[in-house]
Amino acid sequence: MPRRLSRSALLASLAGAALLLSPISPVSPAGAEINAAVTLDGPSADIVGVDGVAIAQDGTGGLVYRRRVDGHVHVFVARYVSRAWKAPQRIDVGQSFDSFSPAIGAGDGGRLVVTWIQQYGAAVQDRMFSASLDPGATQFQPPIGIDLDVRDGLDSAPSLSMGPGGTAYLAYRVVYTRQSPLLPPGTVDADIRVQRYDGSFWSMLGQPADRIQSQPMPDPTELNGPHIASDGNGNAVVAWIEPDDQVIPRVYVRRVFGQVLGNVLQASPSDVNGMALRAGVDQVSLAASPFGETAIGFRQQPDSQTAWTHARAMVNMLPSSLVDGAGRLIGARPVDGAGGDGPPGSLGTVQVAVDDDGNFDAGVGLDTTALHAAGDEATVGTPERIDDGSSTTTPSPFVARGEGGSLAAAWEIDQGGAAHAGGVGMYERQSDGTPFQRIISSARGGAVDQLRFAGSSYGSAVTAFLQGRDDGKQVVASSIEASPVDFAVYPPQGWTRVRKIPLQWDPAHTSTGTVTYTVQVDGEDIVSKLRGLTRTISASAVGEGSHDLTVVATDSDGQTTTTRSVKLRVDRSAPTIRTLIVKRRHRLTRTVRLTASDGARGECSGVAKATIAWGDGRSGHGKRATHAYRHRGTYRVRVTTRDKAGNKRTVVRRVRVR
């Protein structure tokens, strides 16, 4: 494996890179974690679009796209299993009209659920369908109707999210009226519907998620649709853009507890430094951690009458649903790194990720650079550049945060020109801060569009995109396989004297297949290829003394993560009596001095207790003791010692005093 560059060296090399080839040639990564691009369909003019990807905690997932067959557009899914993309399969089987607006969610064990809208003849009464793939299965079940009237569903903008256990949520927009003299300019009559999937059946929540159902919605765009994110407890958070009472588009969120909607919370600000903010929001993104920690990202448009005369990239947060204050937003904060009135130049979209510790990541495009900003509930860091400067347009980087602060990211690269060269920048930062980067592209190349990205809470990610134009269109996919997350090993506390030493360690979570463990003592393998989280090792195989203990986790790709070294202290030897000195002082005093020892300092537990019967009816204690006999004679001295590991020894000696 090539040597890993330091973070500063890597970013310095990226800053100086200039990719001028057309099409883009893939750049060799610093490690094997970022996989090469795989073409799953095409080239063909019949490919319509790439619509979504999903990945579960265990690393299984899939992508959904559309392709024209016999004159009609249909939905296809390619599964991602065992770190490989499987052949696509059509899932809207038996349906005769065009399908559109598909979405996909993934759960552990290879579980997938897909939704889409089927055009219902010439009538403006399109229908929402779903098909599922159960764990262990290879073929989807037949489609079922879950909403038989979504009106003209072209602007439904569905958002689908599934938790590891198979509970999923779907949020989508239903437009009732597009033009009416009763509607303010730039608005439509629409609702945000939410449905819940329990692993077998879909059920619609009893009311729309909107703040005010009679309130008009902004004209639909590709960026202002609703977003929903599941947590690991069967609940979710939904976010959407809705005009406030002054008809200014704001971001609103609410938790979803099973079939119950929580309170509506406004996530985007209404004022800046006490001045009314009369500009709205035009894009929103959402991420939730397994325990319900939530990050809401959005792009706030400028208002020349406030301090923000440029568009701002912003993030707000909801604390974990398990803590006090779970129903209160902490407040929106800029993450674009610009002070004052905001960053000049072209600002891309804002994408977010979050973990259970209250840390978030935000991906922001500014001019032709892809930026990453990290923060938590109290602070926001300075954005860092993660691209190589090869794009000629404003990127919109996606981000995914794993345990231990690992990061995965992807963004489109557009080099323009007559050949319309393009690719996708992929970035991985391991939990120890080591970065990797790679530019991926299909062998045929071409312009990139419709980039989709999803990450797991363990740091792995999948991405898919449309590459090429006209009859050269291809469905291309890749993945990031993160190393096992950081974990800890627990030896016996203090010094141990047992013959069989029990060890245990935390699971090294991964999205890359199974994990095996190797126990190392002082850098040497003691036992390997373990699948459990406990092991008993022989004290004789280790030896007495203080040792460095580590456990190495290895995933199915051969990637490793090693625990921090901890001390394994073994002491199976009882203390010894090192000296017994008889001295005569004056004419009537006879003195005996005794010293108990457990060995060299740092290599043994040390004497904890020593008791002495001097043989003349008196006693003493301590590992260093002196006793004066009053009379001559022979005495039987009995010494009982115990060290801190619990080893005991009793020594009897005869002392002759003259």
Side-chain angles (χ1 to χ4, degrees):
M1 182 180 292
R3 70 181 180 89
R4 296 182 176 181
L5 300 176
S6 67
R7 183 181 184 87
S8 58
L10 176 64
L11 294 180
S13 66
L14 295 180
L19 300 179
L20 302 179
L21 299 178
S22 178
I24 290 177
S25 298
V27 176
S28 297
E33 292 83 359
I34 303 175
N35 294 320
V38 177
T39 300
L40 298 176
D41 199 347
S44 172
D46 289 328
I47 295 174
V48 177
V50 177
D51 298 283
V53 293
I55 185 172
Q57 282 187 348
D58 67 358
T60 60
L63 68 85
V64 62
Y65 70 99
R66 287 166 295 145
R67 180 187 174 98
R68 189 173 287 103
V69 179
D70 297 330
H72 287 286
V73 178
H74 293 290
V75 179
F76 290 79
V77 169
R79 297 184 299 130
Y80 186 70
V81 182
S82 299
R83 306 171 306 285
W85 293 98
K86 306 301 181 181
Q89 56 180 289
R90 180 183 163 186
I91 61 169
D92 61 343
V93 293
Q95 297 186 334
S96 303
F97 301 109
D98 287 343
S99 297
F100 55 93
S101 298
I104 187 170
D108 286 349
R111 185 192 297 270
L112 293 174
V113 65
V114 181
T115 62
W116 68 92
I117 294 177
Q118 169 80 183
Q119 185 183 34
Y120 187 59
V124 184
Q125 189 178 333
D126 298 335
R127 299 179 175 184
M128 180 83 73
F129 285 85
S130 175
S132 61
L133 180 78
D134 291 334
T138 59
Q139 297 293 323
F140 279 81
Q141 296 180 1
I144 57 172
I146 62 173
D147 191 339
L148 300 184
D149 184 6
V150 295
R151 304 301 172 97
D152 178 3
L154 290 175
D155 293 314
S156 59
S159 174
L160 175 58
S161 178
M162 176 177 274
T167 300
Y169 288 87
L170 172 70
Y172 55 100
R173 178 170 48 201
V174 177
V175 179
Y176 301 103
T177 304
R178 297 183 183 275
Q179 294 180 347
S180 170
L182 301 178
L183 293 173
T187 66
V188 297
D189 181 14
D191 278 334
I192 305 299
R193 296 181 185 175
V194 175
Q195 293 209 42
R196 183 179 185 270
Y197 179 69
D198 64 5
S200 299
F201 302 101
W202 286 95
S203 55
M204 188 178 298
L205 273 64
Q207 67 181 79
D210 315 11
R211 179 179 65 100
I212 302 176
Q213 295 180 30
S214 60
Q215 188 82 337
M217 292 285 187
D219 280 341
T221 69
E222 294 182 359
L223 300 178
N224 67 3
H227 285 258
I228 200 161
S230 300
D231 61 21
N233 300 311
N235 300 316
V237 179
V238 60
W240 70 97
I241 298 176
E242 178 181 337
D244 62 10
D245 295 341
Q246 285 71 46
V247 200
I248 300 172
R250 311 291 189 195
V251 176
Y252 296 93
V253 299
R254 63 197 309 175
R255 293 192 186 274
V256 186
F257 303 97
Q259 294 286 342
V260 179
L261 287 168
N263 295 330
V264 175
L265 305 172
Q266 183 176 328
S268 62
S270 297
D271 61 81
V272 180
N273 299 326
M275 299 180 63
L277 182 60
R278 297 174 297 177
V281 172
D282 68 347
Q283 176 260 331
V284 64
S285 64
L286 184 70
S289 75
F291 288 158
E293 188 87 27
T294 304
I296 309 104
F298 55 92
R299 183 171 62 186
Q300 172 67 54
Q301 290 302 303
D303 180 1
S304 60
Q305 301 302 311
T306 70
W308 293 345
T309 60
H310 300 285
R312 304 304 306 261
M314 307 196 73
V315 171
N316 207 332
M317 298 187 73
L318 266 174
S320 167
S321 57
L322 305 180
V323 303
D324 291 338
R328 296 190 297 272
L329 290 158
I330 67 170
R333 296 164 294 170
V335 293
D336 47 43
D341 58 356
S346 176
L347 185 67
T349 60
V350 186
Q351 306 295 332
V352 290
V354 68
D355 66 17
D356 283 326
D357 294 326
N359 303 300
F360 74 85
D361 294 290
V364 181
L366 183 60
D367 289 329
T368 59
T369 62
L371 301 176
H372 158 254
D376 53 34
E377 294 180 358
T379 61
V380 175
T382 302
E384 298 180 354
R385 186 172 183 171
I386 57 174
D387 70 316
D388 66 353
S390 59
S391 182
T392 60
T393 61
T394 303
S396 292
F398 293 89
V399 292
R401 185 179 183 90
E403 289 187 8
S406 62
L407 176 71
W411 61 92
E412 292 182 12
I413 295 175
D414 182 5
Q415 290 185 316
H420 301 292
V424 170
M426 302 280 284
Y427 177 87
E428 181 195 7
R429 184 193 65 207
Q430 295 186 335
S431 56
D432 63 1
T434 304
F436 301 88
Q437 201 226 29
R438 184 175 192 174
I439 295 175
I440 64 171
S441 172
S442 69
R444 186 183 178 94
V448 168
D449 194 13
Q450 301 175 11
L451 175 64
R452 312 301 179 195
F453 180 87
S456 80
S457 59
Y458 297 151
S460 294
V462 290
T463 187
F465 51 94
L466 183 69
Q467 188 161 23
R469 296 181 178 175
D470 302 325
D471 61 354
K473 290 185 289 186
Q474 310 151 83
V475 177
V476 186
S478 181
S479 60
I480 294 177
E481 308 292 356
S483 301
V485 301
D486 288 340
F487 65 111
V489 59
Y490 306 100
Q493 292 186 358
W495 291 84
T496 182
R497 66 184 184 92
V498 298
R499 185 171 61 87
K500 296 293 186 180
I501 304 172
L503 304 176
Q504 65 180 27
W505 50 89
D506 294 329
H509 294 300
T510 182
S511 297
T512 310
T514 58
V515 175
T516 59
Y517 301 93
T518 298
V519 176
Q520 294 181 336
V521 176
D522 295 332
E524 298 292 332
D525 293 355
I526 299 298
V527 61
S528 60
K529 297 183 179 179
L530 302 175
R531 293 185 180 272
L533 302 178
T534 61
R535 183 67 175 187
T536 299
I537 62 175
S538 172
S540 61
V542 175
E544 295 195 43
S546 179
H547 305 279
D548 293 324
L549 170 68
T550 55
V551 173
V552 181
T554 305
D555 66 18
S556 301
D557 280 347
Q559 300 178 112
T560 61
T561 298
T562 304
T563 64
R564 292 183 178 180
S565 176
V566 296
K567 290 299 182 181
L568 173 61
R569 297 181 171 92
V570 181
D571 184 355
R572 291 177 47 77
S573 300
T576 60
I577 306 301
R578 295 189 60 185
T579 60
L580 187 62
I581 303 173
V582 180
K583 290 186 177 182
R584 180 174 180 177
R585 293 185 179 181
H586 309 297
R587 292 184 177 181
L588 299 177
T589 304
R590 288 90 177 169
T591 303
V592 175
R593 181 174 299 163
L594 180 148
T595 302
S597 174
D598 198 35
R601 185 174 183 180
E603 295 300 320
C604 62
S605 61
V607 177
K609 184 178 181 181
T611 58
I612 309 148
W614 295 107
D616 61 354
R618 289 181 292 174
S619 62
H621 61 84
K623 60 183 179 180
R624 293 182 181 87
T626 301
H627 179 66
Y629 289 91
R630 299 174 182 175
H631 306 284
R632 297 176 182 177
T634 300
Y635 299 91
R636 187 172 180 268
V637 180
R638 182 184 181 90
V639 184
T640 301
T641 59
R642 178 174 58 83
D643 64 19
K644 296 176 182 177
N647 298 296
K648 296 181 180 180
R649 185 190 299 273
T650 298
V651 176
V652 178
R653 292 191 179 180
R654 293 185 180 277
V655 177
R656 187 176 182 183
V657 179
R658 297 180 180 178

